[in-house]
Amino acid sequence: MIPELSNPSVCMRDPQRVQEILQSMVKAGSNTVQVISDFDMTLTRFAYNGKRCPTCHNILDNSNLISNDCKIELKELLTYYPIEIDSSRSIEEKLPLMVEWWTKAHELLVQQKIRKDLLAMVVQESDAMLREGYKLLFDHLYEHSIPLLIFSAGIGDILEEVIRQAGVFHPNVKVFSNYMDFDESGELRAFKGELIHIYNKREGALLNTGHFQELRTRPNVLLLGDSLGDLTMADGVHDMENILKIGFLNDKVEERKQSYLDSYDIVLLKDETLEVPNAIMLYLTGNN
Ligand code: TMP
Ligand code: MG
């Protein structure tokens, strides 16, 4: 049906079920579809030429807006990443540690009095990289008036700048993320609203009922993520009919493969491209 589903990076627990979901979504029509995607390591690359690509937080951490002393403290927080991807610990066990990670990181960033007017330059000078095929994904969704919700535990101001500079921040894109709160002089003084971390996207979704209410005529969801925490991003969708979950498994592939296969319909192993999501999107819109 979709040749890209035979790519070597593709793994599926139940290919038959994937076909059924896709057929059901095609039948319902692309005007009933919405896309919900994570940002870091899902829309952006995990690595390029063997080198890790930055997350929203890393873009700031590595920039010259951060003092050397603070960089040292931020480096110490890298010890939380192995916990994030540790398949031997339960989500319940990891959750308080993830809250601790985000809280400490945001406290450090706030101490740096980061200036709003310098964010565009920082993103410009960073190694941020959207996955290959991003332009087709964003442009095609826009052309077909399919809403794209980017739901990120990263930093909203940074991710918006990444997609703006890439020329794909179209009007059909909506972002739920952690936004910076600047004082009257344009210096960072806090983060706005409820913290979104890797394991509370469900709560974040339920806080934004208005968005999902507006999209109630679109009960068919294409979900893209790279973490098991991303699976709850669609929990606010009204009267869901079908959901197809595509998961990028970037790191610690062998250890985590089974848990990803158990929860994502399609798992993409070390695949740095959007080839498979794009093929599915084209299929859903009748390839035009
Ligand atoms: P996402 O929801 O867009 O994927 O963003 C969350 C990612 O951000 C998650 O994989 C961990 C990462 N992260 C950092 O790289 N540095 C940090 O300081 C924090 C708090 C998170
Ligand atoms: Mg992610």
Side-chain angles (χ1 to χ4, degrees):
M1 194 160 72
I2 298 175
E4 287 79 359
L5 289 178
S6 307
N7 284 0
S9 65
V10 174
C11 274
M12 293 178 272
R13 177 191 65 240
D14 188 351
Q16 184 59 37
R17 176 86 194 110
V18 170
Q19 305 276 1
E20 283 164 15
I21 298 172
L22 283 169
Q23 274 160 2
S24 174
M25 283 167 82
V26 164
K27 209 166 148 210
S30 63
N31 59 348
T32 69
V33 173
Q34 56 176 303
V35 180
I36 303 180
S37 179
D38 169 54
F39 188 71
D40 292 305
M41 311 295 124
T42 295
L43 291 177
T44 57
R45 293 182 69 114
F46 177 75
Y48 183 63
N49 284 340
K51 194 171 162 259
R52 285 289 301 276
C53 293
T55 61
C56 294
H57 284 91
N58 300 153
I59 289 173
L60 275 181
D61 300 352
N62 300 338
S63 77
N64 60 12
L65 303 185
I66 308 291
S67 71
N68 286 338
D69 286 350
C70 185
K71 279 190 174 154
I72 294 169
E73 291 186 74
L74 284 164
K75 280 242 153 56
E76 286 167 8
L77 300 185
L78 293 177
T79 50
Y80 284 102
Y81 173 67
I83 304 173
E84 176 192 337
I85 61 162
D86 184 349
S87 53
S88 71
R89 301 195 207 203
S90 68
I91 290 185
E92 291 71 34
E93 198 183 338
K94 291 191 219 183
L95 194 136
L97 295 164
M98 294 297 105
V99 175
E100 203 175 279
W101 183 13
W102 260 256
T103 308
K104 284 184 186 168
H106 288 188
E107 273 168 16
L108 286 169
L109 292 175
V110 167
Q111 283 168 17
Q112 296 299 296
K113 302 195 184 308
I114 290 166
R115 275 176 42 200
K116 185 178 170 62
D117 60 339
L118 298 178
L119 294 182
M121 178 205 69
V122 159
V123 169
Q124 184 85 54
E125 291 176 353
S126 75
D127 297 327
M129 259 183 120
L130 291 160
R131 283 186 196 267
E132 208 181 300
Y134 75 85
K135 207 166 157 36
L136 175 63
L137 179 79
F138 280 85
D139 289 354
H140 194 81
L141 291 176
Y142 176 50
E143 282 155 19
H144 286 78
S145 306
I146 298 177
L148 167 61
L149 170 63
I150 301 179
F151 196 157
S152 169
I155 301 172
D157 309 74
I158 300 287
L159 89 77
E160 282 195 7
E161 199 50 47
V162 172
I163 57 176
R164 190 175 295 121
Q165 290 184 16
V168 292
F169 195 2
H170 301 314
N172 63 321
V173 177
K174 166 108 186 167
V175 180
F176 293 172
S177 189
N178 298 303
Y179 277 90
M180 295 171 142
D181 188 10
F182 297 96
D183 64 17
E184 4 7 284
S185 67
E187 280 181 359
L188 178 64
R189 62 169 167 204
F191 279 81
K192 292 181 188 166
E194 295 294 318
L195 174 73
I196 302 175
H197 58 77
I198 195 151
Y199 290 125
N200 73 347
K201 290 193 174 181
R202 177 182 159 77
E203 288 77 359
L206 298 178
L207 280 176
N208 287 285
T209 48
H211 170 76
F212 294 110
Q213 176 67 22
E214 272 177 40
L215 299 187
R216 64 192 175 283
T217 58
R218 295 178 176 270
N220 292 304
V221 179
L222 195 60
L223 180 145
L224 309 177
D226 79 293
S227 147
L228 297 179
D230 295 329
L231 291 157
T232 62
M233 292 190 298
D235 283 12
V237 174
H238 287 268
D239 303 320
M240 180 120 63
E241 277 173 17
N242 296 286
I243 180 163
L244 186 73
K245 299 173 193 156
I246 305 176
F248 287 91
L249 180 46
N250 303 308
D251 203 3
K252 295 268 179 292
V253 170
E254 280 317 311
E255 286 166 50
R256 299 200 289 163
K257 193 169 160 189
Q258 193 55 50
S259 59
Y260 274 62
L261 281 170
D262 290 342
S263 37
Y264 279 104
D265 301 300
I266 299 175
V267 180
L268 301 172
L269 305 176
K270 285 194 179 287
D271 183 340
E272 291 290 356
T273 77
L274 288 163
E275 196 183 338
V276 171
N278 280 343
I280 289 171
M281 173 187 67
L282 290 170
Y283 176 77
L284 292 178
T285 54
N287 287 306
N288 58 42

